[in-house]
Amino acid sequence: MSVPTPAVRPADPPAPRTTGAPSRTTLSAAVLVTGFVLLSLNTRVAFGQLGPLAPVAGFSTGAVTLLGLIPPLCMGLFAPLASVVRRRFGEERGLFGASVLLLAGAVVRMLGLPGLFVGTVLVSIATAVVNVLVPVFVRSRFQHRRVGVMMGVYALSMGAGSALVAALTVPVWQAGGHSWELAIGLAVIPAALAAAGIAPQLGHAHGRRPAGPGRGTGTGTGTGTGTGTGMGTGTGTGGGSGKRAQVAAGPGGRGLVWSLMAFFGFQTLLFYTTLAWLPAILVDAGVARTVAGGMQSLFILGVALGGFLLPVLAAARTDQRPHLVAVVLVCALGYAGLLAAPGAAPALWALVLGAGLGGGQAVAGVLYVKRGRDHEHVAALSAVAQTGGYLLAATGPVAASVLHTATGSWTVPLLALTGALALSLVASLRAGHDKR
């Protein structure tokens, strides 16, 4: 006996589209990318202002040392906070909350020297959350093949925003009657734009329930759907509070975690030490104070360029070790220039060092995504590596200051930085590829 086939209702004709009108998906993707860029532009702005101001605003050596110590120290101490924020609120709410805190810190930094210290702490805590959540956000909201590009966009925007504000800091200080508070206030503008730009993504967060504390078993699941715009959505659940290190170790073992932590730590030590003391190194070499401040902007511009290029190249391959070697060689050239002839070509050394250190900072995000098996694992790798890495990095500006005071020159501090660079290469080799 045959079963009668039900009549098939013809499909409705597609609804007519208005010529030239963007689709809802395209508009959502544009809002997502715009918000991500505005967030990225703001992430390092506050940290790039001190270098240009220090030679002209009369900050003491102790103040410069402490202000150089606060960012990596706070980012190391508060990186684990990002995992708690993610589990309770999700990446979108976490990034928005961090942006609001960063805006508050930028305002507080204008309130005299005590405000500068307190505001820098607030900005650093907010940045710690952003640092950990961005690789997870990129993996969950963009197609896998676009991870390298988006991490490159993050680094490029981060460096470009910081370079622009750093370049404007001294002119604003001069135009404002030598008020460093007014110059520091420049950071409020990108901070406000970042909070406004990421706010539309709160609607995406409402569509899923973040895992609460203790939920899950330490495993993760992820789903992703791509659209014609390259946008994707994803979710991840799992993990329990207090087990980040075990989750991070995962199938790659603790060797992977230590390798990521050490590479990121040494690279970040080099970055923040150079960021804090590059103008002073150049001034001691006979470069004019205002020119030395401008070299800080060129350094950050190099950070932006290297930070964009390296993740794009590294994400396209399964083995990132050649890229890590390239980072070390470029940085070594910059430090060799500062040792041999700092005043001869300061712009060249600033750009080269910026490109190398910017690439080293940015490629770490690619390593988390490449070595992580799911969103939860990526978040754990990012949090654990940055906790230990930033705490290691916090010793850099202080150690450089102590060595400079003890020896009366920058030769020994620069040699020490070159040694840390060599250690970063040795430490990176396990993190640079999947263990077979």
Side-chain angles (χ1 to χ4, degrees), residues 8 14 54 73 115 121 129 144 152 168 171 181 205 212 244 247-248 269 274 331 333 355 363 372 386 397 405:
V8 179
L73 180 62
V121 170
V129 175
H144 184 70
L168 292 174
E181 292 90 347
R244 282 181 301 272
V247 174
L269 181 152
T274 306
C331 292
L333 177 61
V363 79
Q386 292 189 54
T405 301

Side-chain angles (χ1 to χ4, degrees), residues 284 403-410:
D284 280 9
L403 289 173
H404 174 255
T405 301
T407 63
S409 79
W410 288 104

Side-chain angles (χ1 to χ4, degrees), residues 17 31-32 40 68 130 162 165 167 196 199 219 222 253 255 272-273 320 343-344 346-347 361 368 376 379 405 407:
R17 294 182 59 185
V31 171
L32 170 63
S40 305
V130 173
S162 187
V165 173
T219 61
Y272 280 100
T273 305
Q320 286 76 44
Q361 288 279 289
Y368 305 146
E376 187 72 17
T405 301
T407 63

